[in-house]
Amino acid sequence: GLGDVYKRQLKPLVIGISAMSMNLRVCYQIIQALKAKCSEAKIVIGGAHVNADRDIVAHMGLEYGFQGESEFSFAEFCEGIIRDVAVTDIPGLIVNNEGIISAQPPAIIDDIDKLPPPAYELLPLDRYRSALSGLKTISMITSRGCPYNCVFCSRTNRSHYRFLSAEKVVSQIQILVRRYGFEHIEFVDELFTLHRARTIEICNKILEQKLNFTWSLLSRADKIDDDILMVMKEAGCARINLGVETGSERVRFVDNKKINNEKYVKAVKLCRKHGIKTNGFYILGHPSE
């Protein structure tokens, strides 16, 4: 438990917590436990919920939070805490001053190729298995942002689409498959196939490197076609998740998700033709529904 970690004299100066809306209660409980066991540490909250609701920093009883893409900003914050220098003007930083929230504009990283690869060696990768398939499975994000503007999207801070180069993506896949023995990778980009040429290049590089694994992704019905599905299947694609949102074309267009029913039917038929499974994601309770 937390007490055992603390007794081992790790004594962290900064602890980061990621909050999504559905796990706020658990986050609050963890924060209370951390405050009791690690009283000297600065606890900092980030994640999807914070981007939509900065006030959660105060509600959780914390001094600091982050919004936006904070990899570099959070590192700068940690360096400031370690050196005991002021940390107020860092991009994306949210400060709670006795219930009064002030925030820097959300950080955006324009060139995500500059990000270092994840420190996989620090994770208990032997525990990363899919409850559904039993395969050794891990998720991966290769792009950020989205050019579309669906009304139900959780992204309150719209940002332009940026992606890792095919070379970077495949070198990361190589590490996961060859070094760590992963059998399946879930690409959880909001829209994996948006940049068609990059998707094909990734598939070709997977085939060239003879990387043996299966994978799944999220896409739109209007961003897959016969040719791209053929090369994706050959490279190991097993499943495509499509945001259908609703069976009502009228409601979908009200949502600004301007894809007609015919395109979904065609997309699913094409996937079946190539032996790729499909999942549909739906939302209940749209505007005007």
Side-chain angles (χ1 to χ4, degrees):
L2 289 166
D4 299 328
V5 170
Y6 201 57
K7 281 171 195 164
R8 288 205 301 271
Q9 302 301 301
L10 293 179
K11 293 192 177 178
L13 287 173
V14 180
I15 300 171
I17 297 273
S18 185
M20 296 182 77
S21 303
M22 72 284 283
N23 70 0
L24 288 180
R25 186 184 292 272
V26 174
C27 283
Y28 183 75
Q29 290 167 339
I30 291 170
I31 287 164
Q32 296 313 303
L34 286 168
K35 282 181 172 180
K37 300 288 184 184
C38 311
S39 55
E40 296 147 48
K42 300 272 186 203
I43 303 171
V44 185
I45 194 167
H49 188 93
V50 182
N51 283 277
D53 175 21
R54 297 173 191 169
D55 291 340
I56 201 69
V57 179
H59 295 159
M60 292 285 185
L62 299 178
E63 194 179 348
Y64 299 109
F66 271 95
Q67 58 182 351
E69 299 171 6
S70 302
E71 286 93 341
F72 296 126
S73 297
F74 185 59
E76 190 183 333
F77 174 88
C78 292
E79 283 173 19
I81 296 294
I82 291 163
R83 293 180 186 157
D84 199 22
V85 298
V87 290
T88 51
D89 60 348
I90 296 169
L93 179 65
I94 302 164
V95 179
N96 168 27
N97 186 3
E98 296 181 3
I100 298 166
I101 297 287
S102 59
Q104 297 293 326
I108 301 287
I109 298 169
D110 285 321
D111 183 3
I112 63 171
D113 263 356
K114 286 181 179 171
L115 289 165
Y120 292 120
E121 68 278 6
L122 299 179
L123 296 169
L125 293 179
D126 54 319
R127 296 171 67 183
Y128 280 51
R129 287 196 173 268
S130 166
L132 294 174
S133 67
L135 295 175
K136 191 167 180 184
T137 300
I138 196 166
S139 62
M140 188 171 159
I141 302 173
T142 74
S143 63
R144 294 185 181 183
C146 179
Y148 298 100
N149 201 20
C150 306
V151 299
F152 51 77
C153 188
S154 64
R155 291 178 303 107
T156 53
N157 300 311
R158 305 274 171 209
S159 61
H160 59 288
Y161 183 75
R162 293 140 294 146
F163 52 86
L164 291 174
S165 64
E167 198 173 305
K168 279 249 180 185
V169 173
V170 177
S171 70
Q172 205 168 310
I173 291 170
Q174 249 181 321
I175 291 166
L176 291 170
V177 173
R178 294 232 167 100
R179 190 183 305 171
Y180 294 111
F182 278 98
E183 300 164 290
H184 186 85
I185 295 174
E186 293 182 357
F187 294 107
V188 291
D189 309 38
E190 288 169 337
L191 183 43
F192 184 82
T193 59
L194 180 66
H195 196 291
R196 194 172 186 281
R198 185 193 78 131
T199 306
I200 292 168
E201 193 182 350
I202 288 169
C203 292
N204 287 335
K205 285 181 184 294
I206 288 168
L207 291 165
E208 281 166 25
Q209 299 285 338
K210 295 185 169 61
L211 294 168
N212 186 24
F213 72 108
T214 59
W215 45 283
S216 60
L217 63 131
L218 285 79
S219 189
R220 284 171 57 108
D222 57 356
K223 289 296 169 190
I224 52 176
D225 57 58
D226 201 18
D227 292 343
I228 204 169
L229 288 173
M230 186 166 65
V231 69
M232 283 164 64
K233 174 66 178 179
E234 200 182 344
C237 178
R239 189 179 73 249
I240 294 179
N241 302 304
L242 296 169
V244 184
E245 324 310 350
T246 170
S248 164
E249 200 170 277
R250 180 194 67 79
V251 171
R252 202 181 303 122
F253 274 68
V254 166
D255 284 347
N256 209 31
K257 183 91 180 235
K258 295 178 179 174
I259 304 175
N260 62 30
N261 290 346
E262 191 185 332
K263 280 182 182 163
Y264 283 102
V265 172
K266 186 181 176 187
V268 171
K269 281 182 177 174
L270 280 175
C271 289
R272 282 185 182 169
K273 173 186 167 185
H274 292 283
I276 297 171
K277 290 181 180 177
T278 50
N279 271 353
F281 291 159
Y282 295 84
I283 299 169
L284 300 178
H286 295 266
S288 83
E289 191 173 39

